[in-house]
Every structure is written in structure tokens, then in C-alpha cells.
Amino acid sequence: HVQLVESGGGSVQAGGSLRPSCAASGYISRSYCMGWFREAPGKEREGVAGLDPYDGVTAYADSVKGRFTISKDGDKNILYLQMNSLKPEDTATYYCAAGHTAVVAGFPPNPGDYAYWGQGTQVTVS
């Protein structure tokens, strides 16, 4: 059973930075990929960034490329999302997820491919 707990969201002015983190516990298979997703009020959940910890492949949504960076501390099993140059349209609840799937460069993660989810952390950009 996999447990994911996000933290590190918050409120920031446009142009600022945040770095949410996601602590993973339980059985984390080497075949699991991990990702960050977001859901804004009235919108569908969308993939923001994905990471294959085994080979280091990453993928990003076009809207965050060059501004967000996904990374993982393997020793501590913590997933990060460094968010720079934040915009008001980045305001959403951010979720981390894990699943037995693949990450393909150029294709943001699909929420339907991920089985395990955290509770979310709110990011507000004004």
C-alpha cells in the first residue's frame, strides 16, 4: 500500500516561487512513475509534470515548461516540484501521484494512469 503526503503549498505573488514536496511511504515499486497534477475550480485535473525515477525521464505540460522542475530525493523517497515564475493561472490544488505507468518526454502525465494519490496542497498566486 502506497501513501503520499503533500506539503509546501501556499500563497505567493506573481513571479514568486514555491516548492511543494510529497513524502512517499509504503511499497514503492521500482516500476512506479510519479507525477504532479493540479486541479483548479471548475476545471479538470491535469498533468503538470511526470518523472520516471528509474531512468530519470521527465515530462511537462506546455504551460509549465521552463518554469517548473520535478525531482526526487531517492534516499528519502520525497518528490519535489520546484515552481518558479508563478502566474495567477497556476492557482490550483496540487496533487502528487504514483503508478505503474511510463513517462514519455514531451507528453505530460495522464491522471488516469496513476493509482495512488495524495490529499493535495493548495497553491494560490495573486
Side-chain angles (χ1 to χ4, degrees):
H1 183 66
V2 176
Q3 289 186 316
L4 303 169
V5 179
E6 300 98 334
S7 61
S11 296
V12 66
Q13 291 188 337
S17 298
L18 285 172
R19 193 179 76 152
S21 61
C22 172
S25 61
Y27 177 68
I28 310 293
S29 168
R30 287 188 67 191
S31 66
Y32 282 1
C33 290
M34 301 192 74
W36 284 98
F37 301 80
R38 66 186 181 187
E39 188 172 327
K43 295 186 177 181
E44 291 187 353
R45 189 169 298 189
E46 64 172 347
V48 174
L51 169 68
D52 185 334
Y54 182 68
D55 59 15
V57 174
T58 59
Y60 297 91
D62 286 345
S63 58
V64 306
K65 280 180 183 176
R67 301 188 298 122
F68 291 11
T69 303
I70 187 171
S71 62
K72 186 172 182 289
D73 182 330
D75 291 341
K76 298 181 180 178
N77 247 358
I78 299 176
L79 185 72
Y80 299 100
L81 184 67
Q82 178 66 47
M83 305 190 296
N84 299 328
S85 302
L86 282 161
K87 305 175 181 179
E89 51 264 43
D90 295 318
T91 295
T93 301
Y94 283 71
Y95 300 88
C96 73
H100 182 59
T101 183
V103 172
V104 179
F107 293 87
N110 178 7
D113 294 335
Y114 289 73
Y116 303 100
W117 292 83
Q119 82 289 349
T121 185
Q122 178 67 36
V123 170
T124 302
V125 185
S126 59

